Amino acid sequence: MSTTSTPVPGQASAPPPTAPASGPAAAPRVLRQRRRRPGLIALSVALIAAGGLSGALLFTASGQRTVVLVVARDVPVGAAITEADLAPASLALDPAVKAVAVAKKQGLVGQRAAVALKAGSLLSPGQVTAESLIKAGEQLVGVALKPSQVPASRLAPGQKVLIVSTPDPAQAGGGGKPADAGAAAAPKTQSATVVAVGQPAPATGVVVVDVAVPAAEGPGLAARVATGAVALILAPQAGN
């Protein structure tokens, strides 16, 4: 006769016994720890820091702006500079660029343009001079010259030149033989200083060069220029 056991309330039944493992127990796995290299870590940190510093310096340098002077309106060469001719501008400039700080504006007012100043251009120290290209006791004469009457070299304000009269050979020799022309006196020359150089005319290439000459020589030079029988040559420069 079989008997059944009745579980007692509140008492957990014991799990059934398990059979013992037939094989040997496996050894636990040992995790190998990676070796840390302090030198490599320090190098990585240093490279990251250097990259960040370089980026910060580059950003700072590119963002630095300087307040300088620009030309507000066209100023012809030799003209006195007024306060209205200059304006401030905030620019990021390369250190190699020569500019004039806005703080020097008052010191430039009253000086003269050494070259023709164009509106919107950056003003550089060499474009302004305290000396006038037309000195006291001088007159300004415009000399119209064909391409064959002026050197191919570019003329610039301040250059010393000679205005040479080129009369007709027949008139120079009194209408005589060519030999008489060779025996004629040397052509008349006039020393002058270039003040401004105009743009060549599109059709003829004629260019007008403004030159400063002594007041006593101005009328005579203007009369010779009116005949068209003149030429301009560069005078020897000092030290040449």
Side-chain angles (χ1 to χ4, degrees), residues 94-197:
D94 188 279
V97 177
K98 301 301 182 183
V100 180
V102 70
K104 298 183 178 179
K105 180 178 180 179
Q106 293 302 324
L108 297 179
V109 174
Q111 297 193 34
R112 298 184 179 274
V115 297
L117 304 179
K118 297 299 181 181
S121 61
L122 182 67
L123 184 69
S124 63
Q127 294 177 327
V128 180
T129 179
E131 299 181 0
S132 173
L133 295 178
I134 306 176
K135 299 179 174 58
E138 290 185 337
Q139 290 182 341
L140 189 66
V141 179
V143 183
L145 300 164
K146 299 177 182 178
S148 60
Q149 296 173 309
V150 64
S153 300
R154 184 180 180 87
L155 296 174
Q159 282 184 315
K160 302 298 183 181
V161 296
L162 294 176
I163 309 298
V164 182
S165 298
T166 57
D168 183 77
Q171 296 179 356
K177 301 177 181 179
D180 296 334
K188 181 177 179 60
T189 61
Q190 174 63 58
S191 299
T193 302
V194 175
V195 175
V197 182

Side-chain angles (χ1 to χ4, degrees), residues 139-145 207-211 221-222 225-226:
Q139 290 182 341
L140 189 66
V141 179
V143 183
L145 300 164
V207 60
V208 177
V209 181
D210 289 346
V211 296
L221 177 60
V225 169

Side-chain angles (χ1 to χ4, degrees), residues 27-132:
R29 295 180 63 184
V30 178
L31 297 178
R32 297 181 60 185
Q33 296 183 352
R34 295 181 179 179
R35 295 182 60 187
R36 297 182 178 180
R37 299 180 179 179
L40 184 58
I41 296 176
L43 179 59
S44 301
V45 173
L47 290 176
I48 294 173
L53 180 60
S54 299
L57 290 176
L58 180 60
F59 176 80
T60 303
S62 61
Q64 286 183 346
R65 304 177 74 86
T66 305
V67 182
V68 296
L69 291 174
V70 296
V71 182
R73 58 187 183 183
D74 292 349
V75 181
V77 61
I81 297 175
T82 65
E83 189 170 356
D85 295 332
L86 305 176
S90 179
L91 304 174
L93 298 177
D94 188 279
V97 177
K98 301 301 182 183
V100 180
V102 70
K104 298 183 178 179
K105 180 178 180 179
Q106 293 302 324
L108 297 179
V109 174
Q111 297 193 34
R112 298 184 179 274
V115 297
L117 304 179
K118 297 299 181 181
S121 61
L122 182 67
L123 184 69
S124 63
Q127 294 177 327
V128 180
T129 179
E131 299 181 0
S132 173

